[in-house]
Amino acid sequence: MKKRLIWLMLSGICLLYSVSIYFVGSGTFSFVIWLVGALFFGTLFWLSGQDRWKKIPVPVRRIAYACIAVVMVVFILCMSAMISHFNDNGANDLDYIVVLGAQMRNSGPSIIFKYRLDAAYEYLLQNPDTMCIVSGAKGANELVSEGEGGKEYLISKGIDENRIIAETNAVDTVQNIVNSLDIIGNSKDVKIGVVTNNFHVFRGVHIAKKLTDSEVYGIAAYTVPWYLPNNMVRECFGILRDIKKLGM
C-alpha cells in the first residue's frame, strides 16, 4: 500500500506540474514530458495492485528494470553536468560576452531570455570595455529576432548600442555559438563569456570550447526554481542531441 501511495502521489504531482508548465508556456510542448511522467507513475500504481507486476514474465520485468536503470543513470549524469556550472560567474575584463537567445514575446523578452539579458547587463556595467553579442533569429511566433530584441532591451537599460552586436540568423544553441564565434574570430588571445541560464551553461560552454581556441567562461543567469525541473529535464535531451558537439 505504501508503494502504491507513492506511485499515485508522483503521478498526481507530474500531472499538476504539467498543467503549470502548460499555462506559463515554459518550453514548446514541454508539458507533455510531465504528462508522460504522470502516465508512467500511474501505470506503476496499477501494476503494483493485485500482484499484476509479478504476473508479468521474468525476462520482461528484467528488461524493464534495465531500461529504467539506464534512463536514470543518463539523466543523473546529464543533471550533474548541468549543476557543475550552476555558479559560473565568468571572469573580469572579458573581450566579448555572448548572450544565447530565447523567445521574444510581443511584450519583450520571455522571462528566461530576460534573466540572460539582465545577467549580461550587470556584467557590462562592471566591465565597460567588454563587447556583447546577442544571438538569435526570428522565429515563426516572434515579431522581432531574438538578437535585435535582446539588443534593444539592453539599450533600453542604458548600455551603449555601440557595445552590442545583434546576431540574427541562429536558430539553436549550436548556431548561436558558431555564428557568434564567426563574428569574434578565433584567437587564443580573446576571452569570451557565454551568458545563459544556469541549467544551459554546461552545454553552451562546452560547445564553444570545442569550436574555438579562445578562452571560454560561463556566466550563469537566474532561473525561477519552480520551473527548474522542467528546464533541466528538457536540457537533458539537448545534451544528448548535441553530445558529439560538446567535445566530451
Side-chain angles (χ1 to χ4, degrees):
M1 285 299 297
K2 288 183 179 180
K3 284 185 178 180
R4 297 199 78 204
L5 182 60
I6 290 172
W7 301 143
L8 185 62
M9 289 177 61
L10 289 173
S11 180
I13 289 170
C14 285
L15 183 61
L16 291 173
Y17 193 66
S18 174
V19 172
S20 74
I21 296 300
Y22 174 79
F23 280 109
V24 80
S26 178
T28 306
F29 300 118
S30 61
F31 69 94
V32 174
I33 296 171
W34 302 98
L35 288 178
V36 172
L39 179 62
F40 173 75
F41 288 116
T43 301
L44 290 182
F45 170 77
W46 181 79
L47 287 173
S48 61
Q50 299 180 7
D51 289 330
R52 294 186 183 95
W53 178 247
K54 294 181 179 179
K55 295 175 184 178
I56 296 175
V58 172
V60 175
R61 279 186 280 161
R62 287 178 177 173
I63 291 171
Y65 285 133
C67 290
I68 292 171
V70 169
V71 170
M72 288 182 63
V73 168
V74 169
F75 270 68
I76 288 171
L77 289 174
C78 287
M79 291 190 180
S80 297
M82 286 180 238
I83 291 170
S84 70
H85 285 265
F86 262 36
N87 296 315
D88 284 9
N89 56 10
N92 292 327
D93 301 319
L94 297 175
D95 297 292
Y96 289 88
I97 58 172
V98 176
V99 185
L100 305 186
Q103 188 176 20
M104 283 293 300
R105 301 187 185 279
N106 295 346
S107 57
S110 62
I111 189 66
I112 286 288
F113 196 16
K114 184 176 180 294
Y115 287 136
R116 299 179 189 184
L117 293 165
D118 287 343
Y121 169 74
E122 293 296 334
Y123 186 90
L124 292 169
L125 282 184
Q126 297 170 16
N127 299 272
D129 294 325
T130 299
M131 292 289 292
C132 176
I133 299 173
V134 185
S135 176
K138 177 181 177 296
N141 59 345
E142 296 172 315
L143 296 177
V144 65
S145 71
E146 295 162 9
E148 289 290 348
K151 177 177 179 177
E152 290 302 318
Y153 178 83
L154 290 173
I155 291 173
S156 72
K157 289 176 71 70
I159 301 299
D160 187 340
E161 65 177 316
N162 293 320
R163 298 179 63 195
I164 310 168
I165 301 169
E167 187 287 312
T168 60
N169 296 310
V171 297
D172 59 26
T173 299
V174 174
Q175 288 188 19
N176 286 147
I177 300 295
V178 170
N179 294 356
S180 297
L181 291 176
D182 285 343
I183 294 171
I184 296 170
N186 193 0
S187 171
K188 292 183 179 180
D189 297 326
V190 175
K191 295 184 292 184
I192 303 168
V194 177
V195 184
T196 189
N197 303 92
N198 49 15
F199 63 87
H200 194 215
V201 174
F202 168 79
R203 184 156 55 115
V205 165
H206 283 275
I207 289 172
K209 285 184 174 181
K210 185 175 181 181
L211 294 173
T212 182
D213 295 324
S214 302
E215 292 184 50
V216 179
Y217 301 84
I219 299 176
Y222 180 72
T223 303
V224 177
W226 176 255
Y227 303 113
L228 194 55
N230 180 62
N231 288 315
M232 291 183 72
V233 170
R234 288 179 64 232
E235 183 63 10
C236 285
F237 293 105
I239 290 173
L240 294 174
R241 182 192 64 197
D242 293 336
I243 192 70
K244 292 183 179 180
K245 301 171 183 176
L246 293 171
M248 303 301 291

